[in-house]
Amino acid sequence: MAGRIYVVGIGPGRPPLRTYAAVEAIRKSSVVVGYETYIKLAGDLLEGKEVISAKMRQEIFRAETALERARQGEVVALISDGDPQIYGMAPLLLELMAIRDMAVDVEVIPGVTAALAAGARLGAPLGNDVAFINLSDLLTPREVILKRAVKAAEADFVIALYNPIDPGLTEEVLRAIERVRGPEAPIGVVKNAYRDGEEVHVLRLGEVKGHQLDMRTIAIIGNSETFTWRGMMITPRGYSRKYRL
């Protein structure tokens, strides 16, 4: 019997923000594999299923387990929060399959990534071109992270910062962006978007130092056109350059 893997993005956490396809993929699966926090977030969908929960930094174990169970004929849901492509499990799973030349039926199910959830809470900061930058140096060298942040700022992208787990590196990146954008550039800081304990702050780059950023936080820095209005961040698409508003 042929197995299958659904690589599922369950969104930011609350059931209403899951896609229909994500829910259906988990329901079709006999085995669900995921990081323990994501397993808890999907707990209402797991009755009667075999659940394989893993700790932080056990991503290779999760991917290999999903592949092995699919090769045994099981239908497996390998779950990530947000979207499985954006710092999730899809790239690792497919990379392993390519390296090992493993023919397993895989479908990636998209989800609402953290930057989209945070952006919705902030208003519309993602209204034009956006760069996603992961501030965790577990897999990417610090100098590469810093270089990408500076180049994104110089290119005037809106910048969404994920996983600010190292306070020193986070501060270095923020100050480097501030040198390009200036201390008045708007920044939105959202913690636990669409989860219990949610916090939403609209600040200026020069004000963000006193706010604790951690792996549950997304920071969105506006581009040169982003403005704030009534507590919201708004990045114009450019309609005012073409039409009379």
Side-chain angles (χ1 to χ4, degrees), residues 144-188:
V144 173
I145 294 171
L146 185 61
K147 178 181 178 180
R148 289 174 177 171
V150 170
K151 293 298 185 183
E154 291 174 344
D156 204 25
F157 283 100
V158 174
I159 302 172
L161 300 176
Y162 281 67
N163 295 322
I165 60 175
D166 181 325
L169 176 57
T170 299
E171 180 66 14
E172 189 177 2
V173 167
L174 289 173
R175 296 291 74 81
I177 295 172
E178 183 180 340
R179 285 193 289 273
V180 178
R181 295 279 172 86
E184 295 300 309
I187 177 172

Side-chain angles (χ1 to χ4, degrees), residues 6-91:
Y6 293 105
V7 194
V8 183
I10 61 171
R14 290 186 181 174
L17 292 179
R18 299 170 184 161
T19 68
Y20 180 83
V23 173
E24 285 298 294
I26 293 173
R27 286 178 174 164
K28 291 175 184 177
S29 301
S30 55
V31 179
V32 177
V33 181
Y35 171 48
E36 56 189 2
T37 298
Y38 310 154
I39 292 293
K40 291 176 184 176
L41 290 173
D44 58 306
L45 301 174
L46 304 183
E47 184 177 354
K49 301 184 184 300
E50 181 183 354
V51 177
I52 301 173
S53 178
K55 300 288 186 182
M56 182 69 75
R57 303 187 188 180
Q58 291 185 320
E59 293 88 353
I60 293 176
F61 165 78
R62 284 182 253 158
E64 289 182 330
T65 299
L67 287 167
E68 181 58 30
R69 297 306 297 269
R71 293 181 71 181
Q72 293 172 8
E74 302 274 10
V75 177
V76 182
L78 178 60
I79 64 174
S80 294
D81 70 342
D83 181 275
Q85 297 180 82
I86 310 298
Y87 313 126
M89 290 301 299

Side-chain angles (χ1 to χ4, degrees), residues 192-211:
N192 293 318
Y194 290 93
R195 297 183 187 178
D196 294 338
E198 180 182 79
E199 298 178 20
V200 180
H201 304 279
V202 176
L203 307 162
R204 301 291 173 183
L205 263 177
E207 302 172 332
V208 76
K209 190 171 184 178
H211 289 260

Side-chain angles (χ1 to χ4, degrees), residues 111-121 126 132 162 194 218 220:
V112 177
T113 189
L116 298 181
R121 287 308 201 205
L126 306 178
F132 293 167
Y162 281 67
Y194 290 93
I218 293 290
I220 298 178

